[in-house]
Amino acid sequence: MTDKVTAISFNKDGSQVAICTGEKEILIYETKGSKKFADWEQIHILKEHTQKAAVIDWNHETGLILTGSYDRSIFVWKYSDEHAKYLPQMVNMDEKLAILDAKWNRQGTKFVVGTSSKRIYVGTYSAKHGWWATGEIKKEHKSSVLAVEFSPNGRVIASVSFDGTCKILSAYMKDVDEEETKTPFGDVTTFGECLAKFKCQFWLNHVTWSPSGDSICYASHDGTLNFCDVSSGEKGKIFKYTHKGLPFSKGRFIGDDKFLAVGYDKAPFLFKKSADKWSLDKVLDKGFDKFKDFSAKVGSKDFFALREVESDIKIDDKFKMKERDTKHENTIQYLVPYGSGELCTCDDNGNIFFWKV
Amino acid sequence: KRGHSTTLGIMANMAKRIDVGEKAQHRRLDVDAFDEDRFIEEETSDANAGAAVTARANEVKAFLNKNAHKDAVIKALEDPPVNTQDANIKSTNAQTVLEALTATKSADIPAIVSALNPEQLDILMKYIYRGMASPEKFNTAVLLAWHEKVVEAGGLGTIVRVLTGRKTV
């Protein structure tokens, strides 16, 4: 484990990984087939950002790395054989607030960015100028855009924001979207048009598409997962799953009928679909149902011993605080695919774990 | 005469120029209201809430007089007036619910909680916190007993939905 992980992304076969540990640099490691951070060997350092990277996306088709940072900038990194290192390509984006999310489309020909300034940008490569040119979508969201993702066919974006809305926006770019015409949204030819809007009670943390492009799932901070069938646009059916525990921060479809969600409960939850209803199948972390004593230290002193002495509230001797014996001891912030079929989660403490589904 | 360059002199001059008190009404302007980009919450309304709340209060009182605590609690949690902006209607309904809750004996609480579905547990938790906010009016010891049982049955999610619920009871 490292000190902290603020962004992580693996290459196509899982042999290399790009991590930002809260510093300005992005580090690329060779995993050498091991799942332990201690075995990984650092091979590159990407130095362009002036603040920590909030999001890294390593495209599996082109091998390009997209990094977005709190310093209001985005870079696309391409491996140069003659220099034997990653070189940054410029992205022409005039943004005044932090980047919160950035994703490639499946082919790696365009990317979408969600920012703190309520704007969404879609970027494509301009061979004439040698940089990535971006088109702006403003006025669609009333607050920071927390998560954006292209649909599998790349013509529309799903985006969620702090204002509690999930929107499906068109993002057709003429040079890039020629071949993809699989439904739904296969015949969209506009840019920046709101095709569907869903409103929630509280702010939304994440949105993701199913592999077929038929449905999306958006996770709200009040502990709900909303599965929405968007194949018929705004009138699609929404199935809302209300969670007994703490909210989810990220999620991912596995096939069209399974969904893995992670979040403040510190364990991965697997959901299965049967006949239009989604239900919790199991918790992947077996330690979730076991409890262990809660132990915390402040400097060298035990937390509870301190409280007994210094506070007016006396805690009964019989009282023992317990926490679940999960692998992750802090909120899981990232869920990324690893290799073929596995998933990787990392938390704010810097622990990285792998799960097979 | 060099009085104007002493500290006291400078301060006296400043006091004449800085507008305070009556002359400072411009300092009381809400500058955020002029921001075009500000987030405006949509306000909902419910015209029938008042009548429904009063009718329900009577039914709950009838149950309590017959010592039918479970029926009283379940009836009280029906249809909370979340959409109305009228604070009086919300207080009246809160009074109804909390009377039903505090009249229940601690031993009866688990049985009632296990009969509630997840939506009812979320509503119940909202009223528990509303009651705890006024300890001078409501018995917080009983509310703590209710709180423990609701968390056992509904998990920490019930508390999350109290904190994140935009529509308050």
Side-chain angles (χ1 to χ4, degrees):
Chain A
M1 63 167 241
T2 74
D3 275 333
K4 194 174 165 177
V5 173
T6 61
I8 186 171
S9 192
F10 289 88
N11 70 346
K12 183 165 182 178
D13 53 10
S15 60
Q16 292 184 2
V17 59
I19 295 186
C20 177
T21 58
E23 304 291 323
K24 303 183 277 207
E25 295 91 23
I26 292 158
L27 309 167
I28 299 196
Y29 291 85
E30 232 180 76
T31 60
K32 299 191 194 156
S34 162
K35 292 184 182 167
K36 291 205 186 61
F37 182 78
D39 297 337
W40 294 354
E41 183 193 332
Q42 185 177 310
I43 48 175
H44 298 293
I45 304 182
L46 309 181
K47 283 188 195 180
E48 271 298 333
H49 286 299
T50 53
Q51 283 184 39
K52 71 175 183 190
V55 59
I56 302 178
D57 195 13
W58 197 325
N59 186 267
H60 291 173
E61 307 261 333
T62 55
L64 295 171
I65 307 178
L66 178 70
T67 61
S69 158
Y70 281 2
D71 70 356
R72 318 180 301 262
S73 71
I74 288 243
F75 282 100
V76 175
W77 301 81
K78 184 168 175 166
Y79 189 69
S80 154
D81 285 317
E82 66 172 279
H83 295 103
K85 63 180 191 173
Y86 280 88
L87 295 177
Q89 294 181 330
M90 202 172 94
V91 174
N92 189 15
M93 187 176 79
D94 181 23
E95 176 50 50
K96 298 194 174 46
L97 290 179
I99 310 296
L100 296 178
D101 197 17
K103 295 251 171 50
W104 287 108
N105 69 345
R106 196 177 44 81
Q107 303 97 314
T109 46
K110 63 178 178 176
F111 58 79
V112 61
V113 181
T115 69
S116 248
S117 64
K118 317 169 200 172
R119 287 188 176 82
I120 298 171
Y121 296 85
V122 179
T124 49
Y125 191 64
S126 161
K128 185 168 83 164
H129 299 113
W131 66 50
W132 294 78
T134 54
E136 202 179 328
I137 304 177
K138 39 184 178 186
K139 305 270 184 220
E140 282 296 339
H141 279 296
K142 296 204 191 110
S143 189
S144 307
V145 178
L146 282 165
V148 285
E149 187 168 294
F150 276 111
S151 67
N153 69 7
R155 287 202 182 196
V156 293
I157 304 166
S159 65
V160 289
S161 144
F162 261 128
D163 61 5
T165 55
C166 169
K167 290 198 174 178
I168 298 194
L169 306 163
S170 65
Y172 173 75
M173 300 284 241
K174 197 161 68 100
D175 314 313
V176 162
D177 284 322
E178 280 312 322
E179 338 90 44
E180 290 291 337
T181 48
K182 283 205 280 278
T183 52
F185 303 113
D187 49 0
V188 166
T189 50
T190 54
F191 182 83
E193 184 192 336
C194 179
L195 302 171
K197 173 180 159 177
F198 307 98
K199 185 125 173 65
C200 252
Q201 276 286 319
F202 205 63
W203 86 61
L204 295 167
N205 277 330
H206 191 62
V207 69
T208 186
W209 289 85
S210 69
S212 66
D214 275 334
S215 43
I216 56 173
C217 175
Y218 44 98
S220 168
H221 203 66
D222 60 4
T224 57
L225 281 177
N226 300 281
F227 295 93
C228 181
D229 180 357
V230 292
S231 49
S232 47
E234 200 157 343
K235 298 171 213 50
K237 271 197 308 196
I238 304 180
F239 179 84
K240 182 163 141 170
Y241 173 82
T242 314
H243 188 57
K244 268 182 154 188
L246 298 174
F248 294 113
S249 61
K250 290 274 188 296
R252 199 178 167 84
F253 276 93
I254 300 158
D256 274 319
D257 55 354
K258 285 201 257 185
F259 187 83
L260 192 74
V262 295
Y264 293 84
D265 265 335
K266 308 172 199 158
F269 290 78
L270 183 65
F271 293 86
K272 278 211 177 117
K273 177 178 175 175
S274 63
D276 280 352
K277 283 198 198 318
W278 288 84
S279 58
L280 176 62
D281 185 43
K282 61 179 173 185
V283 183
L284 290 190
D285 190 337
K286 299 242 178 351
F288 185 74
D289 295 319
K290 307 198 191 92
F291 289 85
K292 66 177 182 194
D293 281 343
F294 182 83
S295 66
K297 292 220 179 298
V298 178
S300 60
K301 299 193 187 130
D302 188 272
F303 174 74
F304 284 105
L306 265 180
R307 285 198 58 188
E308 291 253 356
V309 168
E310 299 192 6
S311 106
D312 290 325
I313 303 167
K314 292 283 177 224
I315 301 177
D316 196 35
D317 280 334
K318 285 182 284 170
F319 176 74
K320 284 244 175 292
M321 197 148 148
K322 295 232 178 264
E323 61 170 353
R324 294 185 191 268
D325 195 9
T326 49
K327 283 190 182 164
H328 281 290
E329 285 177 346
N330 204 343
T331 312
I332 301 178
Q333 293 284 11
Y334 292 97
L335 175 69
V336 288
Y338 168 73
S340 54
E342 283 184 67
L343 292 162
C344 167
T345 53
C346 24
D347 63 16
D348 276 341
N349 287 355
N351 289 310
I352 303 173
F353 292 107
F354 296 84
W355 311 89
K356 248 204 228 336
V357 178
Chain B
K1 228 160 110 172
R2 308 232 344 228
H4 63 278
S5 60
T6 60
T7 316
L8 275 176
I10 293 170
M11 284 170 69
N13 269 328
M14 279 171 69
K16 282 186 216 155
R17 286 194 219 126
I18 294 177
D19 294 321
V20 291
E22 281 306 310
K23 284 205 243 170
Q25 292 308 315
H26 65 281
R27 296 188 192 281
R28 295 198 172 85
L29 271 181
D30 178 16
V31 285
D32 285 331
F34 292 96
D35 183 7
E36 283 165 1
D37 272 340
R38 75 189 184 285
F39 184 78
I40 303 175
E41 192 81 51
E42 290 161 16
E43 277 194 0
T44 50
S45 66
D46 187 350
N48 302 323
V53 163
T54 326
R56 191 163 47 244
N58 293 329
E59 289 182 56
V60 170
K61 275 208 181 63
F63 279 128
L64 286 177
N65 287 335
K66 287 188 286 187
N67 274 332
H69 295 290
K70 180 165 157 183
D71 295 324
V73 169
I74 293 179
K75 188 70 191 171
L77 292 177
E78 242 177 54
D79 222 10
V82 288
N83 283 323
T84 179
Q85 302 294 327
D86 187 340
N88 289 328
I89 298 177
K90 293 192 185 200
S91 302
T92 315
N93 205 55
Q95 188 73 27
T96 310
V97 174
L98 288 161
E99 267 172 15
L101 294 183
T102 49
T104 315
K105 285 194 277 291
S106 308
D108 298 334
I109 293 177
I112 303 181
V113 167
S114 57
L116 298 175
N117 66 30
E119 282 94 34
Q120 288 168 315
L121 285 173
D122 284 343
I123 298 169
L124 173 55
M125 190 55 104
K126 287 188 182 177
Y127 278 110
I128 291 173
Y129 275 102
R130 180 161 177 149
M132 291 208 243
S134 313
E136 70 282 354
K137 280 202 276 184
F138 303 110
N139 182 352
T140 45
V142 175
L143 291 177
L144 271 176
W146 275 101
H147 187 281
E148 184 192 356
K149 297 293 174 241
V150 174
V151 170
E152 251 177 57
L156 291 175
T158 52
I159 304 180
V160 169
R161 280 179 278 284
V162 172
L163 295 172
T164 61
R166 280 241 166 88
K167 297 188 175 177
T168 53
V169 291

